[in-house]
Amino acid sequence: MIEVESIFFRYHHDWVLQDVSFQVRKGEFVGVIGPNGSGKTTLLKILYRFLSPQQGEVLFDRLSLKKMSRREIAKKIAVVAQETYPAFPFRAIEMVLMGRSPYLGHLMFESPKDLEIAKKAMEWTETLPISQRPIDELSGGERKRVYIARALAQEPEMILLDEPTSNLDIHHQVEFLDLVLSLNREKGLTILMASHDLNLASEYCDRLIFLQNGKIYKMGPPEEVMTRENIEKVYGCEVWVDRNPVSGMPRVSLLRKGIH
Ligand code: ADP
């Protein structure tokens, strides 16, 4: 579905991404992990053409993103970016309806069909009861579900998520990622999620892309990527990796200085 072919990107002098190549197949749930500053957000921004690489190419269904209009891209790829507050306290339903904008003509208002699609998206994300509430009065977890509803209203084939659980408590982390997983498994949406939470990425993702200083250090299923050796090398701190006793997926434990 997405083919990233040897992309290089820099904001100023230094390369922030170097020779990054990978593919994401339709229906996969892929995680992008790596330390702060390793290039996760930049990579996501390139995948929805907010930024363009200086070298290399991104293809969606074999078509170069460069050859697609913003509207075409928005019909295929939706984004849940890191927490940003809209400048105006829109109601939740208004935020979700914004997801329909790629389908509206110039200066056109939403039709009853758009409203129906937005309501369906809110039903799926259980945000209908809060549809009339201003977005800035919602809790972090509620707001995240509204953003997912907006992404769903876009009727995309793929959703990009940037650190979606970073300010949520564990209950809301799991609730949110269960919702994303259901979109992946039940609706067949392809998911690419940047996360610095190694254990959540290990639990939910089919495959991981592990970035170090803008290069792919390792790529593969969590069992192969999430090893003590890999994590210690890239993060430069000591960890313990065993298996989650219930799911069997790799589990990373932090080690306080002097404990080992
Ligand atoms: P991550 O998401 O893994 O934390 P980022 O993609 O945000 O990494 O950042 C990668 C590198 O690019 C960092 O060194 C960061 O300082 C730099 N960077 C990010 N955004 C900008 C920007 N708008 N202008 C200049 N440098 C940036």
Side-chain angles (χ1 to χ4, degrees):
M1 171 171 263
I2 279 251
E3 291 166 82
V4 175
E5 294 180 346
S6 191
I7 54 169
F8 287 72
F9 180 84
R10 62 180 165 208
Y11 291 97
H12 304 296
H13 298 91
D14 300 329
W15 293 115
V16 167
L17 293 172
Q18 289 187 66
D19 198 16
V20 171
S21 300
F22 62 89
Q23 299 183 353
V24 177
R25 287 182 296 274
K26 204 170 169 51
E28 270 195 299
F29 192 147
V30 175
V32 181
I33 56 169
N36 292 338
S38 57
K40 302 181 293 297
T41 297
T42 304
L43 177 61
L44 257 58
K45 285 180 174 171
I46 287 173
L47 295 184
Y48 60 94
R49 221 189 62 189
F50 184 79
L51 297 172
S52 292
Q54 281 87 3
Q55 292 179 40
E57 183 106 77
V58 180
L59 307 176
F60 190 94
D61 284 344
R62 303 198 182 270
L63 192 64
S64 168
L65 280 196
K66 279 191 254 169
K67 299 210 172 104
M68 294 166 71
S69 67
R70 294 220 163 269
R71 191 179 285 259
E72 279 173 322
I73 294 174
K75 285 180 185 174
K76 299 200 177 284
I77 305 175
V79 184
V80 178
Q82 283 186 29
E83 183 81 273
T84 45
Y85 284 90
F88 184 81
F90 292 105
R91 292 178 193 282
I93 180 74
E94 292 170 319
M95 289 294 294
V96 177
L97 272 169
M98 285 176 202
R100 296 304 297 160
S101 52
Y103 298 90
L104 304 181
H106 185 55
L107 291 180
M108 252 175 67
F109 290 105
E110 299 88 1
S111 67
K113 181 181 164 235
D114 294 310
L115 192 60
E116 196 185 311
I117 291 170
K119 283 197 170 150
K120 276 235 169 71
M122 297 193 86
E123 217 170 277
W124 188 277
T125 53
E126 294 177 8
T127 50
L128 264 185
I130 53 169
S131 66
Q132 297 305 320
R133 303 248 321 262
I135 194 85
D136 60 346
E137 289 179 17
L138 300 178
S139 73
E142 289 169 332
R143 205 161 33 242
K144 276 277 141 78
R145 281 190 282 130
V146 171
Y147 287 138
I148 274 281
R150 182 178 62 179
L152 274 181
Q154 241 170 283
E155 297 188 307
E157 294 172 31
M158 180 174 199
I159 300 185
L160 306 177
L161 301 152
D162 194 0
E163 307 280 6
T165 55
S166 54
N167 52 1
L168 302 182
D169 65 38
I170 53 170
H171 171 106
H172 289 96
Q173 287 179 354
V174 168
E175 183 185 77
F176 182 81
L177 287 179
D178 281 348
L179 171 63
V180 174
L181 190 65
S182 73
L183 299 178
N184 172 251
R185 300 291 196 252
E186 291 166 37
K187 284 188 180 277
L189 280 166
T190 307
I191 308 288
L192 189 81
M193 172 177 84
S195 176
H196 57 224
D197 191 315
L198 299 177
N199 286 322
L200 286 179
S202 170
E203 281 301 315
Y204 284 91
C205 299
D206 303 319
R207 207 152 57 86
L208 298 173
I209 297 169
F210 196 178
L211 290 180
Q212 181 189 33
N213 296 328
K215 292 183 184 159
I216 296 183
Y217 178 76
K218 282 273 167 0
M219 181 160 55
E223 294 86 344
E224 283 173 25
V225 171
M226 207 74 89
T227 65
R228 181 178 176 183
E229 195 190 8
N230 288 342
I231 294 168
E232 289 188 347
K233 262 209 182 108
V234 173
Y235 285 88
C237 66
E238 296 197 36
V239 294
W240 185 254
V241 179
D242 57 5
R243 298 276 170 159
N244 177 314
V246 181
S247 69
M249 298 310 289
R251 174 177 64 175
V252 182
S253 301
L254 311 181
L255 301 178
R256 161 162 65 81
K257 204 174 175 187
I259 201 172
H260 45 286

